[in-house]
Amino acid sequence: MDIQLPSKAERHILFGSVTPGSKTKPTQKHEMSDLQNKKNNFLFSLNQVGISNVKMPVNVHSALSPTQQTTVATFTLTSSIPYNHKGTNMSRFTEQLEKYRQQGFTLDLPILRDFVKELSERLEQVEAKLEVEFPWFYERKGPSSGLTGLNHATVRICISYSQETGFTNDVTLICGITTLCPCSKEISEYSAHNQRGYVTMKVRLSDDYDEEQDWKKALLDAAESNASACVHPILKRPDEKIVTEQAYENPRFVEDMVRLVAADLYEIEWITSFTVECRNEESIHLHDAVAFLTFSK
């Protein structure tokens, strides 16, 4: 069936478009009113104001292969503002990101600290904060076959800067593990149920943290070395036999996991405080099992 369509301009009018009216407000930046920079008593200072959920390609260094990788990171950028400032300059946050993107943004801690300090100066505020989250990839081989595939963990970095107190560096790693239920192994005649668990480790780095180390690998090792077994992207039958038998030999409750991981983190000199969480997606329940531990040295 043929349809006689009106012109595109007529279609726009049909669906509500109108002829632009006369414009009377200024078009030059220096003539436009700047509400954000308005000064008055606005009752309260704000701890954080800014932008979030900003995605951008970034570069990541890794002690595990692939040692150089590109990933997509999600940023939150904020600053404080005093009670007598109405708002912040939102465009300056994205201008700062774009400047670093054009330079090839690599998420090394010294670069991130430079970013946050520069952001504070650009915004003319005493405090600024950067939070970034991204998937970090690492190779994992089957224990028997040696076949290689890619695993990934979630990484979060939070850098806070104050002109008065300097920097705080908080980093988080969330990785998957295998846990086998100790009570199931104890009471069952034939087997024990196991499940995938997730360990979340948030740590504060000391001021003398050695940038040559890879904190991502250290936290991954703390979780995986204490689990019933590691998770693998590729497992042939001989690999699966090794992994399941290893899990059976190392049963773990969520309570066991957070305590064992905490012990490893306690022994790492460049960690000053930490929070550990383990969450098991129970294979014989609809609920998850969780445990939490927080410690400051």
Side-chain angles (χ1 to χ4, degrees), residues 163-235:
Q163 293 179 6
E164 296 178 356
T165 59
F167 295 97
T168 58
N169 308 286
D170 295 317
V171 296
T172 301
L173 184 81
I174 306 170
C175 64
I177 57 165
T178 295
T179 57
L180 183 133
C181 178
C183 64
S184 176
K185 176 181 177 180
E186 181 69 22
I187 65 178
S188 300
E189 295 286 353
Y190 310 114
S191 183
H193 76 85
N194 54 51
Q195 54 272 317
R196 185 185 305 145
Y198 291 93
V199 178
T200 300
M201 296 152 287
K202 179 179 179 180
V203 308
R204 176 156 294 183
L205 303 179
S206 64
D207 293 337
D208 60 353
Y209 169 72
D210 183 358
E211 305 292 347
E212 295 300 316
Q213 300 178 94
D214 188 350
W215 63 265
K216 302 185 297 299
K217 180 180 182 301
L219 298 192
L220 181 68
D221 289 344
E224 292 188 330
S225 65
N226 289 298
S228 299
C230 298
V231 294
H232 294 263
I234 300 175
L235 289 175

Side-chain angles (χ1 to χ4, degrees), residues 40-86:
N40 205 331
N41 185 343
F42 293 107
L43 307 181
F44 295 99
S45 298
L46 299 184
N47 300 105
Q48 291 179 258
V49 57
I51 61 175
S52 65
N53 199 29
V54 183
K55 291 182 168 40
M56 181 170 292
V58 294
N59 303 310
V60 176
H61 292 142
S62 172
L64 299 177
S65 185
T67 56
Q68 305 289 330
Q69 53 187 271
T70 301
T71 188
V72 176
T74 302
F75 288 86
T76 296
L77 304 176
T78 59
S79 77
S80 60
I81 58 171
Y83 74 94
N84 60 345
H85 285 217
K86 183 172 180 60

Side-chain angles (χ1 to χ4, degrees), residues 3-18:
I3 301 176
Q4 291 298 113
L5 292 174
S7 69
K8 190 164 187 177
E10 291 172 324
R11 296 199 297 270
H12 284 184
I13 293 172
L14 177 64
F15 285 92
S17 295
V18 298

